[in-house]
Amino acid sequence: DGGITQSPKYLFRKEGQNVTLSCEQNLNHDAMYWYRQDPGQGLRLIYYSQIVNDFQKGDIAEGYSVSREKKESFPLTVTSAQKNPTAFYLCASSNWRALAGTLAKNIQYFGAGTRLSVL
Amino acid sequence: KQEVTQIPAALSVPEGENLVLNCSFTDSAIYNLQWFRQDPGKGLTSLLLIQSSQREQTSGRLNASLDKSSGRSTLYIAASQPGDSATYLCAVRRIYTDKLIFGTGTRLQVFP
């Protein structure tokens, strides 16, 4: 089955600890994204990557880091510098290259999410 | 700065009612607008996407309209069912980017 897999489903972080959230896609999409969702709020963009070995900061990148060494994988590290990490984290992917000059839909497809809590 | 607002924040209706969910955005320079569904504790599922040049899109009992000049979109759900209970999010895509700006969502409860 094609899709986006996020793991783990639940994650607990101790104070001062870095934790890494996994996101893997087998949709052959070029672009991948990380969002944070807090209760009663919409999704906010943390980081995104349009191509392997390149990524851009989103609106709330402080305290987070990413890498894009493979097309299929876009892991997110929540560092100890992120003082309020408790949230629901969502990974998405899209066929960015279909966007330019066409009416292609370029829909973003989402994983099931990882809920991060602080111990 | 693009801001996206959804009204109402929550809605509870009996089964069978026709519903309208509203989404407004402040900057009309968008590429498209998407409506998503999110079940509790789950990821997002794309329902409908409307390109900026389009006025509406339909899928089954769902119909989404877009009035770019006034910065508004509506999601119409016909003959609501308990299985429609979820949070509905709209998101706009800025022109020349693939970044989405999300609204805060409408939490819908349809009771039998």
Side-chain angles (χ1 to χ4, degrees), chain A residues 9 31 33 35 37 40-45 48-50 57-59 88 90 94 96 98-113 115, chain B residues 1 31-32 34 36 38-49 51-54 57 87 89 93-105 107:
Chain A
K9 188 172 182 178
Y33 315 80
Y35 293 92
Q37 187 176 32
Q41 297 191 33
L43 279 67
R44 293 182 290 169
L45 183 64
Y48 66 104
S49 168
Q50 294 178 333
K57 292 183 179 180
D59 299 318
F88 190 51
L90 288 159
S94 74
W96 156 253
L99 175 65
T102 75
L103 291 178
K105 293 184 176 182
N106 198 27
I107 294 171
Q108 286 192 13
Y109 296 89
F110 283 78
R115 187 165 300 280
Chain B
K1 180 184 174 184
Y31 191 78
N32 59 41
Q34 279 184 255
F36 293 89
Q38 184 177 30
D39 293 289
K42 305 289 186 184
L44 276 65
T45 301
S46 181
L47 297 173
L48 290 165
L49 181 146
Q51 300 288 359
S52 61
S53 58
Q54 298 175 321
Q57 282 286 329
T87 296
L89 294 149
R93 183 182 306 282
R94 300 171 183 165
I95 58 171
Y96 308 124
T97 79
D98 67 343
K99 296 170 69 173
L100 291 179
I101 308 298
F102 282 84
T104 53
R107 190 171 67 254

Side-chain angles (χ1 to χ4, degrees), chain A residues 5-14 17 19-23 34-43 46 64 76 78 84-91 111-119, chain B residues 38-44 87 89 107:
Chain A
T5 302
Q6 289 188 241
S7 62
K9 188 172 182 178
Y10 300 96
L11 187 58
F12 297 91
R13 193 190 88 165
K14 295 179 182 178
Q17 186 182 39
V19 292
T20 298
L21 285 61
S22 171
C23 179
W34 274 106
Y35 293 92
R36 170 178 171 142
Q37 187 176 32
D38 293 283
Q41 297 191 33
L43 279 67
I46 305 172
Y64 300 96
L76 173 73
V78 184
N84 184 24
T86 297
F88 190 51
Y89 291 86
L90 288 159
C91 178
T114 293
R115 187 165 300 280
L116 176 62
S117 302
V118 176
L119 289 176
Chain B
Q38 184 177 30
D39 293 289
K42 305 289 186 184
L44 276 65
T87 296
L89 294 149
R107 190 171 67 254

Side-chain angles (χ1 to χ4, degrees), chain B residues 13-109:
Chain B
V13 299
E15 181 176 8
E17 276 206 6
N18 300 325
L19 310 170
V20 175
L21 308 182
N22 298 293
C23 173
S24 61
F25 48 95
T26 55
D27 186 350
S28 62
I30 64 169
Y31 191 78
N32 59 41
L33 183 145
Q34 279 184 255
W35 282 94
F36 293 89
R37 169 185 172 136
Q38 184 177 30
D39 293 289
K42 305 289 186 184
L44 276 65
T45 301
S46 181
L47 297 173
L48 290 165
L49 181 146
I50 313 175
Q51 300 288 359
S52 61
S53 58
Q54 298 175 321
R55 300 285 291 182
E56 64 180 280
Q57 282 286 329
T58 298
S59 175
R61 294 182 295 109
L62 305 179
N63 175 275
S65 67
L66 174 65
D67 184 343
K68 199 174 70 164
S69 61
S70 67
R72 279 190 269 185
S73 176
T74 60
L75 179 67
Y76 177 82
I77 303 176
S80 59
Q81 303 171 356
D84 295 330
S85 299
T87 296
Y88 291 81
L89 294 149
C90 68
V92 298
R93 183 182 306 282
R94 300 171 183 165
I95 58 171
Y96 308 124
T97 79
D98 67 343
K99 296 170 69 173
L100 291 179
I101 308 298
F102 282 84
T104 53
T106 293
R107 190 171 67 254
L108 173 65
Q109 174 87 32

